[in-house]
Structure formats: C-alpha cells, structure tokens
Amino acid sequence: MSATVSGRSRSILIKVCNSLLSNTAFALLPKPPIFQCSHCFNTSSSSNRKCDYLEDFSPLKNLNSEDAVISPNERRRIILGLGKLIKKKQGFVLKKFSRDFRPFLLVKIMTQFENRHGAFAFFKFVFREESDRIVKSCCVACHVLAMHGFRIRAQDVLSWMIRRIGVSRGQDLMEFMWRGHFGYESDFSVLDSLMRAFTNAEMDSHALQISRIMRGLGMQPCLSALSILFKLLLRIGDYGSVWKLFRDMIRKGPFPSNIAFNVMIHGFCRKGQVQTGESLLHLMSKFQCEPDVYTYNILINAYCIHGRTSDVWSWVDLMVKRGCTPNTATFSTIINALSKEGKIKEARDIFDEMQENGVSPNTIVYNALMDGFVKAKEIDKATDLFEDMKNNHIKADGVTYNILVSGYHKYERVENLDNSLSYLNRSMCGPLSDYSWPDVTVAILCSEGRTDEATKHLEDMLKEGLPLSVIAFNSIICAYSKKGLETKAFDAYHMMMKYGLTPSSSTCNSLLMCLSRNGKLLEAEELMHYMIQNQFPVNKVAFTVIIDGYFKIGDVMGAQRLWAFMKSKSISPDTVAFSAYIDGLSKSGLVEEAYNVFLQMKNKGVFPNNFTYNSLIAGFCNVGRLNEALKLEKEMIQMDLIPDLFTINILINGYCKQGRMKYALDTYTDMHRFNLVPDIVTYNTLLSGYCKAFDMDTADNLVYKMYTSGWDPDITTYNIRIHGFFVTRKMKKAVLVLNQLLSSGIVPNTITYNTMLNAVCSDIHNDAMILTAKLLKMAFVPNIVTTNLLLSHLRKQRLPQMALKWVEDLKELCLEFDEVTYKILERADCDVKERGDQGVEEDAVYISEEGFFIDFFMHLTYDYLCRNKFYSSRRMIKSGSGRSCNIEQPMLEVNNFREILISDKQVLALLQA
C-alpha cells in the first residue's frame, strides 16, 4: 500500500480486505415461493453469521443485512472497487456517505467503479430501505448519473428499485422521475430509461404506458428499447400487445430493424409458432430489411427442435440463393440435431461439407458430433474426432472431456481414458482454458464414481479462488441424482447458489430427475413451480422428466395435468416430450388418446421418430388392434423411418397374441430386409407364441435355431418352456428343462417358482412330488401371485371356506392384495353362500389329497411372510414407501428351510406322511 495513504484510510482498507475473507453468505431475493418444496430454501439462522466489516460503508447499516442481496462475486467487486477508491484518497466520500444516504455522494462512489457491474453491486448493497425519502434520493442519483453520461448505470439503479418496491408503487416512481428530471436530462432520456427499467423488471404494462406517453409527446421510442420490450411480451405470451406495438412502429416509427425482426421471429419460434416466424421473415423486405444469417439460423434451429431436420435444407438453399452465407452456428445447429436423432452418418457428412465450404468447426460443433458418436456406441470415431480437434488447435472445454470420459467409462476403454487424461495434464497451459481445467477435474472424479471426493475437491478449489463454472456443479449434481442421493444433490445446488452461479437447464433437469426417481413426484412438481417463479431456465425436458415419472407410478391423471400445464405456459413439446407422453398413454391402455396426441404432434409440424411409432404400435397390439398397428408400420416406412428391432419384436408379439403364428414367422424371416438380426427377445416372443399354441415340437426346433444363431437361453426362455411343457402335460420334459436351468447357473426367479407350483397343484402324482422337492430345495420365495394361485386352487378343490380363512390370516401380516385376489375372494364367498354351511362342513371333513397339498404350500407361504414381516416393515419405514409389504426379498430368510429339508427323500417322506 502507498505510504501516502492516511491512517484512517489504511484502517478502512484493512476492514474491507477482512470482509472479503469473513463473509461469503448469499441470500436470495425475499420473494417466498408459492410451493413449499423442502429443498427450495436455506433455513440457516442469520444469527450465526459472522461480523461483516463491509457494513461500515452502508448508511442503512442498522437495517437487516439480509436485505442487501449480493453474491460472493459481487462482494469481491465491491471490495476491489472501494479499495481503489481509497487508494485515490477518496475515503472521506465513503465516510460521509456512511453517515447519511445522499444521492450526490452515491453518484460520486458509483462513478469511481471501473465497470457498471461493480457500481451496480454497491447500489444493491446499500439500498435496504424503500421509504419515499430513499426512493426519491435514488431517483435524483439516476438523473445525475444520466447527466454525467452514465445512463446504463442509471437504468440499472432504476430496474433494481422497481423490482424491490413492486408494481403497486411503480406509478409513484414514474412521477418522482418525471418531476425531478428538469435540469438534469431530457424528456426522452428519462422516459427511455424508465421504459427500459420497467422492461428489465418485467413490468410490461408500465413499459407500454411509457411507450404511449412518449408517442403522446411526439417522440419515438428507441428501437433497442422496443426490441427488449418485444422479447418480454413474447415470453409472457401477450401477443395482442406485440402486434399493436408492431403496428405503431409501422405507422408512427421507428421502422423495425433487423434486430427487432429477429427478436420477434425468435420469440414466436420459441412459443412453437414457427409459421408466424416464417411469415415475418418474408415480410422483412417490405421494410427495407433483409434477413441475415441470424434470422435464418433462428428458423433452422426451430425446425431442428421440432424434429424437422429433413426440411432445414430448403432454408439453407434459400439463404445461399439470397447471398447469405451459412456460418458455424448454422452447421452446428444441424449437426447437433442430427446427432441427437441418431443420424450420425448424416451429421458427419455435413461436418465434412462445412469444411469444404471454408467454414471452420468450433468446439461446439466438435462436442455435438463427439456426443453423437458416443451415444451411437462408436467410441473409436469419437476418439478420432478428438485427435482431429487437437491437430486443428481447437480448444477443448469441460463439455468435451465430460463426453469423452463418460464414453470411455461406459464402454470400459481404460487405455483411451488414460491417454486423454495424460493429454489433459499436459494441456493445462495449452488448449484447455483455465476455466475448463477445474470443471474437467471434477467431471473425471464424478465419472469414476468418486462423487464425494469431487465435492471435497470442488470446495478446496473454491477456497483457493480457482474459477469454476456451472459445469463443475452440474457434474456433481448429476452424479448424486443418478444415485438417488437427493440431499447431497441439493447441497451441491445450494453451494452453487451461494457462490453466485446461475443454474442452467441441466441443473434443473438433474434435480427434478432425482426427485422423480425417488418417487417424489409432487415434490418435483413443486420444485419446478418454484424454479419457474424464480425465472430459472426450466425447459420442456423438465416437464418431460416429471410426466414420465407420473406414468411410471401409474398416475395417469398427474401426467395429463402436467401436460396441460406445460401447454398453458406456452412451452412447445418437442419430439422427445410428445413421444414420452404418447408412450405413457399407450402403456396405460389409453391408445385412442395416444393416437390423438400423435395427430396433434404431426399437425404442429413435430416429426415423430422410431420411438413414437413403436409406442403407438405396441399400444394397438396390446389392445388387439393389429391392423391399426400394421398401418402405422407402413406409414413409418413412408416417412423414411426404417423399422428397428423393437418394431419387429412388437409386431411378432402382436401376431403371437392372436395365435397367427404363420404371420409371426413370416415377420421373423423378413427381418433381413431391414438388415436386422433377431435377438433373445425375438426368439422368446416366438417361443411363447408356439407354447401357447401347444406346438412344443416347433418350439424345440426354434430353441435349436436360437442356439445355432449364437444366443443362449435366459431365465425367460426357461420359464416359457417349463410353462409350455406343464400345460401340455409333459411333466418329465418340464423337469428336464428345469434341470438344464439349474445346471446352467441361472438363478430361478419368482415366475419359475409360481409356474412350477401351479403345475404341481394342478396334477398331484409322483413327478409332482419330485418337482415339489426341487422347489423347496431352491428356497421357494412367494409373492402376491403365489398367494392368488394357491387361493384359486383351494376354491377349485371345493374349499372356499379354507381360502377365506387363509385370507384373514394374511391380512394380519399386512399383505397388500390386488384385483385378482379380491375377485377370488368374491367368488369364494359366493360359493359359501350357494352351498350353505352344511355343504362347506362336509367338504372340510373330506379334504382331498390335493387339498392337503395346497394347504401345505399355504403354510409355507404364510411362514415365509411371517419371517419377513419385521424386515419388510423396517424397509418400508426406512424408504418411506406407501406399500405395506415387499415380499420379493433375498432368499436368505428361506434358507432356514434347509435345516429340515436336507434331501429329496426327506421332502417326499414329509409330503407322503
């Protein structure tokens, strides 16, 4: 520090520096949200805050310091600016201002800051009182700032005041500014500043009022101010005001410029009104405006967002024809859209073509293409592209390494990962910027599953003052969200907000996905409302995540409500959103509604993809409307969409369900026409169809063909065959397949157990006894299907009273019954009433061998549920699940049976006793 600085100034500067280290608290705007999501607030008490030496410079220091809404970055700007002011021997100005809020002193301080951001941060810090005296003083400060040529800083002050005092006092502020501007600035200057300030504060009605006042006084609003107002009106959906403002510009001036047209075209395209945007583009020439590359790029991006990538080339041809050269952003938009649609070959062709036309790709283009290669499982081509990027001296960023690291980990390419990390270490001072290095380090740790270590590393880097972007925080939030660790994910989010970083759409989507995966759909929806209210970048992906979550838990009405809310917010669904909604409706059996949404999708110009068609085709097949499914397949081909393996498997399953095995086999043999190879799902689907048709010989031939094609049977294959042989009364072959299952090392599942149990209960003889022994030796694990199966067999054995008795016992264990259970109970109750008490008592006396056998298995089922009741209840409380019992537990509990069931002979002896 200079020796000429006074002792008082030195003391002040020391306090300023200490303040930088002592307080990093950050408070959000004091606007409580409507929805009380538990993660939306930081509830730490203000009493725990450390002493803030920066308070010495505020004339309103006695008021609540939480009213000073500044981030740690803004605090640093203030301290650096005040430090320089003190060095210039202006400490006395700070001393005077700290005693009383004077407008001229405030202007003196704000003009000493080198940039508007530091000056604005200082004003935010000292503006804590909203009384008329303080507001009038700030209005005077705005006039003085404008007089000295600092109009932008004056507009910043006005915007912040308007946000804080609210709409109700907006008229008073206008009057204060208008009455006091004489002698400081012109009528146009003060009205223009007010119009911009109200627009920035999103008070559109006041901004429009100022526009009308200006025209009433014979003035024309500034073009740039009108463009900003257009942007606000389009975002909130006030189209009437947009067109009225546009008409006023045409009649009274100023004529709209390219910027104004671009703002309008972009606003309408964002709302899904692409045709309106196109009309505005063609209208530009009438007002001496020619569409520029930004205009065309806006429309090209809109087409890509709506899945109409095949139509973008007409716009590219038009712009070239009119003498407008496509730039990097043009090609980047198209390459990114094609990569996301899986058309990676076309994307690569365009990448090569743009270089042939003299347009150099940038980091964004490389990242989009690399991400497409990784998602297409072509990791080698992604690596080659990264090498090409290095050779062309294109700077990699955090996104680049996130793509590569996640790809190498996903496909276990350790060697490539090591090479990339080695290059990364060498390039810290080279092509990788200082801002990207910390982000990449955090991303690498997260991709390796070391998320806690990444969080610690991030905290250390923040303490050291290393620059971090939102990418690093997004890596941590995304990693925790994938693991379902919502508390840690939201801790990282709060840390990000504390350091003044604005959440991106990826941040919002990760947090919402975390809540959705944990089944907290209502809380996710509340959080989304909070984000929208606080103007976070919530996009259609966020809505899609929650809608999909509602469908997965079976809450169709919740999904439909949110879909309607998304449309009310003028958020246009894209191909992914439409597809997810159509898929959910189809799986819920609402195939007609799904088809109507499909028609709406096409009418809006959003092109369906393979997933969309597959969802609808599956929906029609599930309800037995195979002809409609086949029509959709033909339409799919006409749309230049090649049916994939999912499409073929869905159609084969549809044929099998109707017993039309010849058509199913023809579809299977015709797969080569689409260059498709059958997978295990294809063979299992056909196998199930032949078993249902009791054609076990053809089923055996199909299994042989499956082996020769290189596919080994899975648990589904074995279950289908076992069930088929049981149904056709070929018990020995069923036992043979079961032995093959056990010898293959595949663990039987509950379906295997229930299939065997159903066969045993249906046909009691020596083979059934041997099968029962095997069943018990495998640690039989029952579920609700098992219970229903046994109850149904009791009723078939003319033991309805025994079935009802077992139900009462099971109710005591909090077992959750389904619709099938209640139907069985209803029929059992009817049987009891029809036969009367005497008939039921006679059946109870003369219980058949089959009845004793089924009752034996009911005892085993009840015993298992009793053993696991405490475990299930404890798990239910821990997870917060609404389900009262989860009976698909590990087999360890049932292994206690082996203490008494040591061998097949002992089991047989027990059963025959």
Side-chain angles (χ1 to χ4, degrees):
M1 184 182 294
S2 172
T4 59
V5 180
S6 66
R8 170 65 180 165
S9 297
R10 182 181 292 107
S11 174
I12 293 174
L13 185 58
I14 290 171
K15 287 184 177 182
V16 170
C17 295
N18 287 338
S19 176
L20 177 63
L21 301 174
S22 65
N23 195 317
T24 57
F26 172 63
L28 291 171
L29 280 173
K31 295 180 180 179
I34 299 173
F35 295 88
Q36 302 295 314
C37 175
S38 61
H39 296 293
C40 295
F41 309 100
N42 190 348
T43 57
S44 59
S45 173
S46 60
S47 62
N48 295 329
R49 298 181 183 274
K50 297 180 182 178
C51 180
D52 186 3
Y53 294 103
L54 202 57
E55 294 290 323
D56 292 343
F57 304 107
S58 173
L60 306 173
K61 61 178 71 66
N62 294 327
L63 296 177
N64 188 354
S65 63
E66 288 188 358
D67 289 335
V69 186
I70 57 172
S71 69
N73 288 336
E74 290 175 319
R75 181 176 293 277
R76 290 186 179 91
R77 289 195 182 106
I78 294 172
I79 291 168
L80 290 174
L82 296 183
K84 291 179 181 179
L85 189 143
I86 292 169
K87 286 183 180 181
K88 294 178 182 178
K89 301 181 181 180
Q90 298 294 314
F92 68 94
V93 179
L94 286 172
K95 184 176 180 181
K96 288 182 180 179
F97 182 71
S98 66
R99 293 172 181 168
D100 192 13
F101 196 101
R102 297 293 180 89
F104 292 96
L105 294 175
L106 175 62
V107 171
K108 182 75 173 175
I109 296 169
M110 289 184 67
T111 54
Q112 293 298 315
F113 282 84
E114 292 183 354
N115 57 62
R116 58 180 284 208
H117 303 292
F120 181 45
F122 180 77
F123 175 75
K124 287 169 66 177
F125 176 73
V126 299
F127 183 70
R128 305 185 186 182
E129 186 182 316
E130 299 165 10
S131 64
D132 285 351
R133 184 184 75 84
I134 297 297
V135 171
K136 288 179 181 178
S137 296
C138 291
C139 289
V140 173
C142 289
H143 294 315
V144 178
L145 284 169
M147 181 178 66
H148 289 293
F150 294 97
R151 280 193 63 204
I152 294 180
R153 299 191 187 193
Q155 291 164 15
D156 289 338
V157 170
L158 271 175
S159 299
W160 186 254
M161 278 200 300
I162 291 169
R163 286 179 184 273
R164 293 300 299 267
I165 66 177
V167 180
S168 58
R169 295 178 63 189
Q171 198 69 31
D172 295 338
L173 182 70
M174 288 169 57
E175 293 178 6
F176 291 156
M177 288 293 294
W178 182 253
R179 286 202 306 263
H181 83 280
F182 304 103
Y184 292 106
E185 55 181 327
S186 65
D187 292 352
F188 176 83
S189 176
V190 66
L191 290 174
D192 183 65
S193 294
L194 278 169
M195 182 176 172
R196 292 174 186 272
F198 280 120
T199 303
N200 292 336
E202 300 190 353
M203 296 184 184
D204 53 296
S205 58
H206 288 78
L208 289 169
Q209 182 183 355
I210 297 293
S211 173
R212 289 192 292 270
I213 291 172
M214 293 181 76
R215 294 197 183 279
L217 295 173
M219 293 180 280
Q220 290 184 356
C222 182
L223 256 176
S224 59
L226 288 171
S227 298
I228 298 171
L229 183 54
F230 272 132
K231 186 176 181 180
L232 171 63
L233 293 172
L234 284 164
R235 188 166 62 80
I236 63 177
D238 188 357
Y239 303 118
S241 297
V242 169
W243 292 119
K244 186 178 185 306
L245 202 63
F246 185 69
R247 284 195 298 270
D248 288 343
M249 291 177 71
I250 294 171
R251 295 171 182 171
K252 304 174 184 178
F255 264 30
S257 64
N258 267 46
I259 295 176
F261 271 111
N262 287 345
V263 167
M264 291 181 68
I265 292 170
H266 182 258
F268 279 113
C269 287
R270 285 192 65 181
K271 293 295 183 180
Q273 301 184 29
V274 183
Q275 289 183 344
T276 306
E278 293 176 19
S279 301
L280 284 169
L281 180 142
H282 295 303
L283 190 68
M284 291 177 69
S285 59
K286 293 186 177 180
F287 299 97
Q288 291 76 49
C289 293
E290 286 299 327
D292 54 19
V293 68
Y294 301 104
T295 317
Y296 288 108
N297 284 348
I298 290 168
L299 279 170
I300 288 170
N301 183 58
Y303 270 75
C304 290
I305 288 174
H306 289 81
R308 300 171 63 182
T309 50
S310 58
D311 295 333
V312 298
W313 294 112
S314 60
W315 288 105
V316 175
D317 292 339
L318 180 63
M319 67 187 295
V320 172
K321 183 179 179 181
R322 292 184 175 180
C324 185
T325 306
N327 61 6
T328 306
T330 313
F331 290 105
S332 172
T333 302
I334 300 172
I335 289 171
N336 184 49
L338 290 172
S339 299
K340 287 182 177 178
E341 291 178 5
K343 300 176 181 177
I344 193 65
K345 185 179 181 302
E346 294 179 37
R348 178 70 205 211
D349 291 341
I350 295 169
F351 178 80
D352 295 333
E353 183 182 336
M354 69 180 287
Q355 296 179 80
E356 292 172 2
N357 293 329
V359 181
S360 300
N362 58 13
T363 307
I364 297 172
V365 179
Y366 274 103
N367 287 347
L369 195 55
M370 271 191 286
D371 188 47
F373 278 128
V374 170
K375 288 178 178 175
K377 301 180 181 180
E378 298 184 28
I379 192 70
D380 291 330
K381 291 185 178 180
T383 304
D384 293 340
L385 200 62
F386 178 59
E387 293 296 327
D388 183 55
M389 187 178 184
K390 289 190 292 182
N391 296 333
N392 291 329
H393 305 290
I394 306 295
K395 289 185 178 181
D397 60 8
V399 177
T400 315
Y401 286 94
N402 273 347
I403 293 168
L404 287 173
V405 170
S406 62
Y408 292 146
H409 271 283
K410 185 176 181 179
Y411 302 111
E412 299 180 353
R413 304 293 287 273
V414 180
E415 182 180 350
N416 294 102
L417 179 60
D418 292 339
N419 291 337
S420 296
L421 295 182
S422 298
Y423 173 75
L424 177 61
N425 291 325
R426 295 194 306 271
S427 64
M428 285 178 62
C429 300
L432 192 66
S433 67
D434 292 336
Y435 282 85
S436 295
W437 165 246
D439 296 335
V440 172
T441 307
V442 171
I444 291 170
L445 291 171
C446 290
S447 66
E448 293 176 348
R450 299 154 62 188
T451 316
D452 290 337
E453 189 177 338
T455 305
K456 177 70 169 56
H457 187 64
L458 182 141
E459 292 172 348
D460 293 340
M461 286 191 290
L462 289 171
K463 291 176 183 177
E464 294 172 6
L466 289 175
L468 281 168
S469 73
V470 71
I471 295 175
F473 287 96
N474 281 349
S475 297
I476 291 176
I477 293 171
C478 181
Y480 280 133
S481 296
K482 286 181 178 178
K483 295 178 181 178
L485 303 173
E486 64 181 79
T487 302
K488 292 187 176 183
F490 278 92
D491 286 344
Y493 158 74
H494 287 304
M495 188 195 307
M496 180 179 74
M497 296 295 292
K498 174 182 174 182
Y499 282 92
L501 292 172
T502 304
S504 67
S505 57
S506 178
T507 317
C508 301
N509 296 340
S510 294
L511 293 173
L512 293 172
M513 187 176 292
C514 181
L515 292 172
S516 298
R517 284 183 173 178
N518 289 345
K520 299 183 178 180
L521 275 306
L522 288 177
E523 192 167 349
E525 192 172 344
E526 290 170 3
L527 178 61
M528 187 179 66
H529 283 289
Y530 170 79
M531 290 174 169
I532 293 172
Q533 183 187 4
N534 286 275
Q535 300 176 10
F536 288 1
V538 176
N539 56 20
K540 60 200 72 172
V541 178
F543 281 93
T544 306
V545 166
I546 303 178
I547 288 171
D548 187 56
Y550 273 124
F551 276 124
K552 285 181 178 176
I553 65 170
D555 188 354
V556 180
M557 293 182 65
Q560 291 171 326
R561 183 189 68 249
L562 199 59
W563 181 262
F565 178 69
M566 179 174 69
K567 293 169 72 175
S568 70
K569 285 290 181 182
S570 299
I571 297 177
S572 302
D574 58 3
T575 303
V576 176
F578 268 116
S579 298
Y581 192 59
I582 290 169
D583 182 60
L585 292 172
S586 298
K587 288 179 178 176
S588 303
L590 303 173
V591 68
E592 280 295 338
E593 185 176 343
Y595 187 71
N596 289 334
V597 175
F598 174 74
L599 295 177
Q600 294 172 19
M601 176 184 185
K602 293 198 296 183
N603 290 336
K604 287 182 174 291
V606 182
F607 280 66
N609 56 18
N610 277 46
F611 183 81
T612 320
Y613 276 103
N614 289 343
S615 300
L616 265 181
I617 291 171
F620 280 119
C621 286
N622 288 336
V623 296
R625 297 167 63 178
L626 191 55
N627 290 334
E628 284 87 343
L630 293 171
K631 288 178 183 177
L632 282 171
E633 188 213 11
K634 289 181 180 177
E635 180 184 316
M636 184 179 182
I637 297 171
Q638 292 171 356
M639 295 285 293
D640 295 328
L641 292 173
I642 301 173
D644 54 22
L645 192 57
F646 295 100
T647 319
I648 302 301
N649 286 341
I650 291 167
L651 290 174
I652 290 174
N653 186 47
Y655 282 124
C656 290
K657 282 185 175 180
Q658 294 188 3
R660 299 162 68 179
M661 296 309 300
K662 181 182 181 301
Y663 292 98
L665 189 62
D666 290 342
T667 306
Y668 159 76
T669 54
D670 202 33
M671 291 178 72
H672 69 276
R673 185 161 62 95
F674 301 110
N675 295 320
L676 297 175
V677 178
D679 64 355
I680 190 67
V681 177
T682 316
Y683 287 110
N684 285 342
T685 305
L686 280 169
L687 192 63
S688 177
Y690 282 120
C691 289
K692 288 177 182 176
F694 309 116
D695 189 355
M696 297 307 297
D697 293 334
T698 308
D700 288 341
N701 293 333
L702 186 67
V703 172
Y704 175 77
K705 194 168 187 177
M706 182 176 72
Y707 274 113
T708 57
S709 300
W711 290 99
D712 291 327
D714 60 5
I715 185 62
T716 305
T717 316
Y718 285 111
N719 286 342
I720 292 169
R721 296 189 70 200
I722 291 170
H723 180 264
F725 283 124
F726 279 148
V727 171
T728 55
R729 304 279 180 166
K730 296 179 179 179
M731 298 291 288
K732 291 183 178 179
K733 285 194 174 183
V735 173
L736 181 62
V737 175
L738 179 62
N739 291 333
Q740 292 173 358
L741 165 64
L742 298 175
S743 62
S744 68
I746 298 175
V747 179
N749 59 15
T750 307
I751 297 175
T752 318
Y753 301 137
N754 289 336
T755 303
M756 294 164 57
L757 183 59
N758 186 45
V760 169
C761 293
S762 301
D763 189 7
I764 308 298
H765 51 72
N766 289 333
D767 287 339
M769 297 297 177
I770 296 172
L771 203 57
T772 304
K774 291 183 179 293
L775 185 66
L776 296 176
K777 290 280 287 182
M778 288 189 299
F780 172 60
V781 179
N783 63 1
I784 188 64
V785 178
T786 316
T787 307
N788 291 341
L789 189 150
L790 292 171
L791 292 174
S792 177
H793 277 290
L794 282 174
R795 180 179 164 271
K796 288 179 182 178
Q797 294 296 325
R798 300 168 62 86
L799 297 171
Q801 191 71 37
M802 185 178 290
L804 294 172
K805 174 186 173 298
W806 275 116
V807 168
E808 293 301 320
D809 292 340
L810 291 169
K811 282 182 179 178
E812 296 177 2
L813 301 180
C814 302
L815 180 64
E816 185 177 342
F817 299 134
D818 58 13
E819 292 182 8
V820 177
T821 317
Y822 289 111
K823 286 182 180 179
I824 295 171
L825 293 180
E826 185 179 349
R827 291 174 183 174
D829 191 55
C830 290
D831 290 344
V832 171
K833 290 178 180 178
E834 287 177 3
R835 304 184 60 203
D837 294 338
Q838 184 177 357
V840 171
E841 288 177 3
E842 289 178 359
D843 290 336
V845 174
Y846 301 103
I847 298 178
S848 64
E849 181 182 354
E850 289 83 357
F852 278 116
F853 195 86
I854 297 166
D855 190 52
F856 167 74
F857 268 105
M858 279 300 304
H859 275 286
L860 291 182
T861 302
Y862 182 81
D863 182 73
Y864 174 83
L865 296 175
C866 282
R867 290 170 182 268
N868 288 272
K869 178 182 177 182
F870 173 74
Y871 175 79
S872 300
S873 301
R874 184 174 58 186
R875 181 176 177 181
M876 176 194 71
I877 295 169
K878 183 177 179 181
S879 64
S881 169
R883 294 180 65 87
S884 58
C885 234
N886 183 357
I887 59 177
E888 290 202 20
Q889 305 293 355
M891 300 180 188
L892 296 177
E893 295 286 342
V894 189
N895 285 341
N896 292 325
F897 282 128
R898 295 185 180 178
E899 296 175 6
I900 57 171
L901 303 175
I902 301 173
S903 67
D904 293 348
K905 291 182 179 179
Q906 289 176 320
V907 173
L908 287 170
L910 177 64
L911 293 173
Q912 293 171 353

